[in-house]
Amino acid sequence: MKYSNTDVVKILSIDGGGVRGLIPCMFLSHLRKELDRTGNTTSFHKLFNIISGTSTGSIISLMLIKPPKDYSDNERLELLLDLYENKTKLIFPEANHEIAQHTRQFFRPKYNGKQLKKLLRQNLKDYTLDDSLTNLIVPTYDMRDMSSFLFKHNNSAINTKNFLLKDVALASSAAPTYLPPANIRCISTGKSYCFVDGGIYCNNPSLCAYTYAKNIFPNAKKYLIISLGTGSYTRTYKCKNIKKWGILGWMNPFNKVPLLSAFMDSQIDSDNYVISNMADVKEYRFEVSLDGISSELDDSSDKNIEFLKGKASELILAKKDEINKIVKIL
């Protein structure tokens, strides 16, 4: 069964970006306060027809759609803000010897992922995709079949591939060279997968979410997308240096793993271009420049967390008029 009577389909899309997920969390917290102020206390999982997130965005998305129904947005966002402000230090601990840590990254993941698993287990418990409170889509990539994979929940259809939400979050956020792949099993079929971060091909899931929305709501007149970035950063390389790069050059952790960064950044740009030219789409894109501060997805230092909080406040102030428009629309 497909929905058919929704004129305007509302989509929330959240980019990947590691600790920089603090920025969309603070944005959503502000949006929630503005909605409450106008008397709109409807939960995000009811306001949005589809919620989508990649990597760190998937963790935020899953926290917004997990049961129970009476668990308020403010409670969910308080947990998320605490996670990014205080718990990311457990996931991405600062190294005693930074050079040794970067050297390790040549041969194995920079972090073991144990604390991430623990935190996901504590927050998402044993809920599954079937328990989701609204339609959901989360991208990841299966290294066994070398193919993209989309975790989905459709309120109006039977899910033939059900997974634990904590496994979905682990799979979508398993950034190559930073965290180990997620070896997880499908509850429905028993099939085992080896997933890595969906950001390698879909760091901005807005286009993916739009395509899914067209499938679920084929008769909609308009698709409204609230797309949340985690901060943009302009990094430049000199061609004379790049010409000398081999595998180690392109994947050098001392140089911010440029190949992985290029994949993720270019996909964000391409999706923004495509979405902005869709006749039936109205997109509100919220992004802020990270120039002047660390853009590293694993910089969990107190200094960087404070910088990110400042950037989130900067974004909210700069986009005040657009936020007011969204509050009226929602």
Side-chain angles (χ1 to χ4, degrees), residues 73-90:
D73 284 340
N74 286 319
E75 290 173 305
R76 297 171 192 269
L77 288 165
E78 282 178 14
L79 285 173
L80 280 165
L81 288 170
D82 178 62
L83 171 66
Y84 284 97
E85 290 184 49
N86 303 308
K87 304 293 195 320
T88 49
K89 296 174 181 61
L90 301 175

Side-chain angles (χ1 to χ4, degrees), residues 22-36:
L22 177 59
I23 294 173
C25 282
M26 288 186 64
F27 180 92
L28 288 170
S29 182
H30 176 77
L31 178 60
R32 180 70 270 165
K33 288 182 175 67
E34 289 299 298
L35 288 167
D36 291 343

Side-chain angles (χ1 to χ4, degrees), residues 41-284:
T41 59
T42 305
S43 298
F44 284 139
H45 64 77
K46 291 182 179 178
L47 286 174
F48 292 101
N49 303 99
I50 293 177
I51 294 180
S52 180
T54 299
S55 195
T56 201
S58 75
I59 295 174
I60 300 169
S61 299
L62 294 167
M63 286 292 288
L64 294 178
I65 59 82
K66 75 165 190 171
K69 291 181 179 179
D70 57 357
Y71 198 46
S72 73
D73 284 340
N74 286 319
E75 290 173 305
R76 297 171 192 269
L77 288 165
E78 282 178 14
L79 285 173
L80 280 165
L81 288 170
D82 178 62
L83 171 66
Y84 284 97
E85 290 184 49
N86 303 308
K87 304 293 195 320
T88 49
K89 296 174 181 61
L90 301 175
I91 303 169
F92 303 122
E94 292 186 71
N96 294 324
H97 303 285
E98 190 172 351
I99 293 178
Q101 188 183 53
H102 282 313
T103 302
R104 166 194 168 97
Q105 200 175 356
F106 276 114
F107 305 100
R108 63 188 66 183
K110 192 174 181 180
Y111 307 99
N112 60 33
K114 291 180 180 179
Q115 286 296 328
L116 176 59
K117 284 185 180 180
K118 181 179 179 181
L119 289 167
L120 293 176
R121 184 170 63 248
Q122 290 173 348
N123 285 285
L124 298 173
K125 304 187 185 301
D126 288 325
Y127 296 123
T128 72
L129 283 173
D130 286 347
D131 298 319
S132 301
L133 298 178
T134 192
N135 302 301
L136 174 81
I137 186 162
V138 171
T140 187
Y141 191 86
D142 181 23
M143 292 300 296
R144 287 193 172 178
D145 293 340
M146 294 300 288
S147 62
S148 58
F149 189 96
L150 298 169
F151 295 107
K152 300 176 185 177
H153 173 71
N154 183 339
N155 284 336
S156 65
I158 296 173
N159 186 3
T160 58
K161 292 182 179 179
N162 195 22
F163 292 84
L164 292 167
L165 294 186
K166 59 189 176 187
D167 285 345
V168 173
L170 190 67
S172 185
S173 58
T177 79
Y178 289 92
L179 291 163
N183 184 204
I184 64 175
R185 191 177 299 275
C186 176
I187 298 172
S188 311
T189 65
K191 182 178 177 179
S192 182
Y193 296 84
C194 182
F195 290 126
V196 296
D197 196 326
I200 65 171
Y201 75 96
C202 191
N203 207 40
N204 172 358
S206 57
L207 183 58
C208 180
Y210 165 72
T211 304
Y212 193 45
K214 293 281 283 187
N215 179 261
I216 301 177
F217 305 96
N219 298 321
K221 296 178 181 178
K222 203 73 171 178
Y223 298 88
L224 173 70
I225 302 177
I226 312 300
S227 178
L228 307 183
T230 59
S232 62
Y233 185 83
T234 302
R235 183 181 290 119
T236 60
Y237 298 95
K238 293 182 178 179
C239 192
K240 66 179 182 179
N241 294 330
I242 295 176
K243 287 194 294 185
K244 301 174 184 178
W245 285 357
I247 293 174
L248 290 181
W250 284 101
M251 296 302 293
N252 188 351
F254 290 97
N255 204 19
K256 321 302 182 187
V257 195
L259 184 61
L260 186 60
S261 297
F263 282 154
M264 293 181 173
D265 293 347
S266 60
Q267 186 275 327
I268 289 175
D269 292 340
S270 63
D271 268 24
N272 286 338
Y273 175 77
V274 173
I275 285 292
S276 66
N277 285 281
M278 293 289 188
D280 57 354
V281 171
K282 174 59 179 177
E283 182 191 37
Y284 290 90

